[in-house]
Amino acid sequence: MTFEPARRVRAVGPSGIRRFFEIAEERDDVISLGVGEPDFSTPWAARDAAIHSLERGRTSYTANRGMRQLREAISRYVADRFALEYGPGEQILVTAGASEAVDLAFRAFVDPGDTVAVAQPAYISYEPGVRFAGGEVLPVPTREAEEFRLTVAALEGAGAADAELLVLCYPNNPTGAVMERSDLEPIAEFAREHDLLVLADEIYAELTYEGEHASIAALEGMADRTIVVNGFSKSHAMTGLRLGYAMGPTDAIGAMNRIHQYTMLSAPTTAQHAALEALESCEPDVREMVDQYGRRRRFVLARFREIGMACFEAQGAFYVFPEVPDGWTSEAFAEELLREQGVAVVPGDVFGAGGEGHLRVSYATGLEDLREALARIETFISDHG
Amino acid sequence: MSQREVLELLRENARYSTADLARLTALEERKVEATIEELEASGVICGYQAVVDWDRLAEERVRAEVELNVTLDRETSYDDIAERLSRFPQVTALRLVSGDYDFDMEVEGDSMREVSQFISEKVAPVPEITQTVTHYVMTAYKENGIELGDGEDDDRLAYSP
């Protein structure tokens, strides 16, 4: 007897970066710029709150939607930081990481055969998520010439008017691109005109280095057709605590909660206590981390320019997206760089349309390692000049 | 603003090259050099030193924190006493502090005997000093903002989405 995976599982191949793990494991001097998680520790106050909650024996389920106090804190936080108005009662759902929130949105709003437009290059889990829900991804490419911002022309060109759902992730993984309010206005108009629902993954919202993060949900007429996803992994260095949240209209969050209550029941209680403390007292820690990332971003961009690798000025998240030199594919460059110099980066093609010809380079790594890694990349380029 | 940023970076690592500092701050290299010269000339930057984990060195190095109480008279001020104590090469730090004692003094030597002798023969006899309490450093965990001992390995996955 063998287990034959269901068709929708068979339809999803292994991750494009899987093979690289094996190469990386062969040597012990690898500097990884391939990681999508902070190198900082969770702020101590948040860790302490988690420990305290355990000491008090607060280990039972919480409400399906998450602790009321936490939802109230989230409601205040997003109002203050991003001008988003969501009631803590029925418009916020606390999830096990932003990933669960994204998955719930796909499962709640995508029927088999539905089309989901995804601005690409994009986080690698969107496409499998859509497929697990039975839908199909419609790639909507963004271009470096437009700083990887989504345009109405790209939506029209891809035929996104007929899609059910549009997925946006800004600040963007992998490009580091941001969308300003003026960039979002025409996208919002397109969504209203064609009755598109929007899934706005704003997990990197705090990591915006120039100007303020703008949320499409804050634009006129968009709150009732947008699900906003956010979480604590990137902003508060809490990846392993797995805590995120979704915000949207009462009916939409209710639909997502229907799945959540039967599958997850509730997000981890310990992590919810940590998250509450993170919102209440860890703002200075967040600012300090963002300052550090900001410096590293400047450093990495400057070094790529010196090395002679073109790289547009990423303004958010903790990635830059340099171009590989002529004559290389992303995959070949990333693989040879890893084999010869022990520097791990992610080839851009794994992020979908428009990613080929680029590398995702994470600067969520200490400055000493960044200096060394960039020196090795420089050597690699000169060796192959 | 740029002065503060340059200072913070040099405190993090005094060996950053001016090129690195320029990349990190997005300032011109010349501007970074000028800022450092200005900070040095005005005495804000008093020197550059290595942060040392003596426990990793085979040779013995003994350090002590000494609490000092003093009595002042009309002729003698805290500054006078500080000036006298600061001249001793064994004294690596000296601060006037609030609380139960007056001065907080750090002393270094090659052996406990050397440090003890220094305190009993050179410090205690200073007429204004009424009391010394010596605490020998047993293990140092953090110096100048830098954690000592084994650095934690980066145990994150080499690749993650």
Side-chain angles (χ1 to χ4, degrees):
Chain A
M1 177 70 194
T2 54
F3 284 96
E4 179 69 14
R7 270 193 299 280
R8 62 185 182 284
V9 177
R10 291 204 303 272
V12 173
S15 157
I17 52 180
R18 174 129 212 98
R19 198 164 55 83
F20 283 78
F21 279 105
E22 287 153 22
I23 305 171
E25 274 176 12
E26 286 169 15
R27 48 191 298 171
D28 55 9
D29 65 339
V30 170
I31 299 178
S32 179
L33 308 184
V35 282
E37 65 174 317
D39 60 324
F40 298 103
S41 297
T42 306
W44 180 246
R47 282 185 275 163
D48 203 32
I51 294 164
H52 184 67
S53 76
L54 288 171
E55 285 173 342
R56 288 294 191 89
R58 290 173 180 154
T59 52
S60 53
Y61 297 129
T62 66
N64 293 133
R65 291 169 184 271
M67 283 159 41
R68 174 80 193 193
Q69 256 185 308
L70 175 58
R71 282 180 281 136
E72 284 171 355
I74 290 169
S75 175
R76 286 192 298 271
Y77 163 74
V78 298
D80 290 348
R81 293 286 295 133
F82 311 123
L84 294 171
E85 300 295 332
Y86 291 105
E90 297 178 310
Q91 295 185 319
I92 296 175
L93 174 64
V94 178
T95 55
S99 303
E100 191 212 343
V102 169
D103 182 54
L104 291 176
F106 290 148
R107 286 201 281 161
F109 307 114
V110 177
D111 274 320
D114 278 355
T115 303
V116 177
V118 178
Q120 290 190 352
Y123 172 54
I124 61 174
S125 297
Y126 296 140
E127 180 152 359
V130 169
R131 288 196 173 196
F132 289 141
E136 286 297 324
V137 163
L138 176 73
V140 184
T142 61
R143 301 189 309 128
E144 180 165 4
E146 288 152 351
E147 298 183 319
F148 292 109
R149 295 170 192 214
L150 179 64
T151 63
V152 168
L155 286 167
E156 284 169 345
D162 297 327
E164 306 300 321
L165 182 66
L166 167 65
V167 181
L168 296 177
C169 172
Y170 290 96
N172 183 261
N173 172 8
T175 62
V178 299
M179 294 270 281
E180 289 166 18
R181 190 186 169 94
S182 56
D183 303 310
L184 290 167
E185 293 278 9
I187 306 299
E189 194 181 330
F190 182 90
R192 288 192 299 266
E193 190 182 332
H194 298 287
D195 200 24
L196 271 179
L197 300 178
V198 176
L199 174 61
D201 181 348
E202 299 183 357
I203 188 74
Y204 292 101
E206 283 285 2
L207 307 186
T208 304
Y209 303 104
E210 286 166 32
E212 293 288 312
H213 170 72
S215 175
I216 194 165
L219 304 185
E220 197 187 336
M222 290 307 292
D224 63 359
R225 62 173 61 251
T226 305
I227 301 290
V228 179
V229 168
N230 206 328
F232 298 86
S233 291
K234 317 295 180 180
S235 55
H236 293 81
M238 284 172 49
T239 48
L241 284 159
R242 311 306 306 126
L243 208 76
Y245 50 93
M247 301 174 291
T250 302
D251 290 353
I253 292 299
M256 289 166 68
N257 187 38
R258 214 171 305 153
I259 306 169
H260 174 78
Q261 70 186 1
Y262 288 119
T263 52
M264 189 59 66
L265 280 81
S266 61
T269 304
T270 307
Q272 291 190 54
H273 285 285
L276 180 58
E277 184 64 28
L279 289 180
E280 287 183 344
S281 72
C282 298
E283 172 71 13
D285 302 83
V286 174
R287 297 278 72 83
E288 173 60 27
M289 287 190 270
V290 174
D291 283 351
Q292 293 273 357
Y293 289 135
R295 281 179 191 150
R296 296 174 190 179
R297 178 185 69 105
R298 290 196 292 248
F299 178 83
V300 169
L301 285 170
R303 286 294 279 128
F304 273 117
R305 274 198 292 273
E306 288 162 15
I307 290 169
M309 286 176 74
C311 187
F312 101 102
E313 189 146 342
Q315 293 186 351
F318 38 53
Y319 309 108
V320 292
F321 207 55
E323 289 177 43
V324 297
D326 288 343
W328 289 93
T329 62
S330 299
E331 189 181 6
F333 187 95
E335 186 171 335
E336 279 312 300
L337 179 66
L338 179 56
R339 285 190 194 281
E340 289 182 26
Q341 296 290 336
V343 176
V345 297
V346 184
D349 61 311
V350 305
F351 302 101
E356 178 50 51
H358 293 266
L359 304 169
R360 188 190 76 175
V361 175
S362 162
Y363 48 86
T365 290
L367 205 49
E368 285 305 308
D369 278 349
L370 286 174
R371 287 168 82 189
E372 171 62 19
L374 268 298
R376 292 188 198 181
I377 293 173
E378 190 165 30
T379 304
F380 182 80
I381 293 284
S382 95
D383 286 352
H384 292 271
Chain B
M1 184 59 203
S2 64
Q3 275 199 342
R4 179 68 185 250
E5 202 169 6
V6 168
L7 272 177
E8 277 175 16
L9 286 163
L10 286 174
R11 290 251 298 162
E12 186 179 292
N13 183 351
R15 297 194 63 182
Y16 282 140
S17 64
T18 43
D20 277 346
L21 291 169
R23 291 172 187 127
L24 288 162
T25 54
L27 296 171
E28 296 282 325
E29 250 188 276
R30 274 178 308 178
K31 168 78 178 154
V32 172
E33 274 166 23
T35 303
I36 293 173
E37 277 167 23
E38 210 176 298
L39 288 164
E40 287 172 350
S42 60
V44 175
I45 293 178
C46 318
Y48 300 90
Q49 289 185 333
V51 177
V52 177
D53 186 350
W54 290 103
D55 292 346
R56 285 171 175 263
L57 209 65
E59 308 161 24
E60 192 180 16
R61 190 71 185 163
V62 175
R63 294 190 300 155
E65 307 272 340
V66 187
E67 300 172 7
L68 298 178
N69 268 310
V70 300
T71 305
L72 302 180
D73 57 36
R74 288 184 185 182
E75 307 293 315
T76 319
S77 68
Y78 284 125
D79 289 350
D80 295 328
I81 300 167
E83 196 184 342
R84 182 165 176 181
L85 293 171
S86 295
R87 287 196 190 125
F88 293 113
Q90 293 90 335
V91 174
T92 53
L94 182 67
R95 305 175 189 97
L96 183 66
V97 295
S98 61
D100 292 340
Y101 51 95
D102 300 312
F103 284 101
D104 174 24
M105 183 169 76
E106 289 177 20
V107 177
E108 280 189 21
D110 287 337
S111 66
M112 277 181 79
R113 182 189 168 83
E114 186 188 313
V115 171
S116 303
Q117 261 182 352
F118 168 68
I119 292 163
S120 58
E121 291 172 12
K122 304 289 184 188
V123 179
V126 173
E128 293 82 6
I129 292 179
T130 56
Q131 188 187 27
T132 67
V133 179
T134 304
H135 306 273
Y136 283 101
V137 174
M138 295 164 72
T139 305
Y141 297 99
K142 192 172 183 181
E143 295 283 352
N144 290 47
I146 295 176
E147 286 186 45
L148 308 180
D150 291 329
E152 280 179 42
D153 287 336
D154 187 350
D155 59 356
R156 296 176 297 164
L157 290 168
Y159 289 89
S160 65

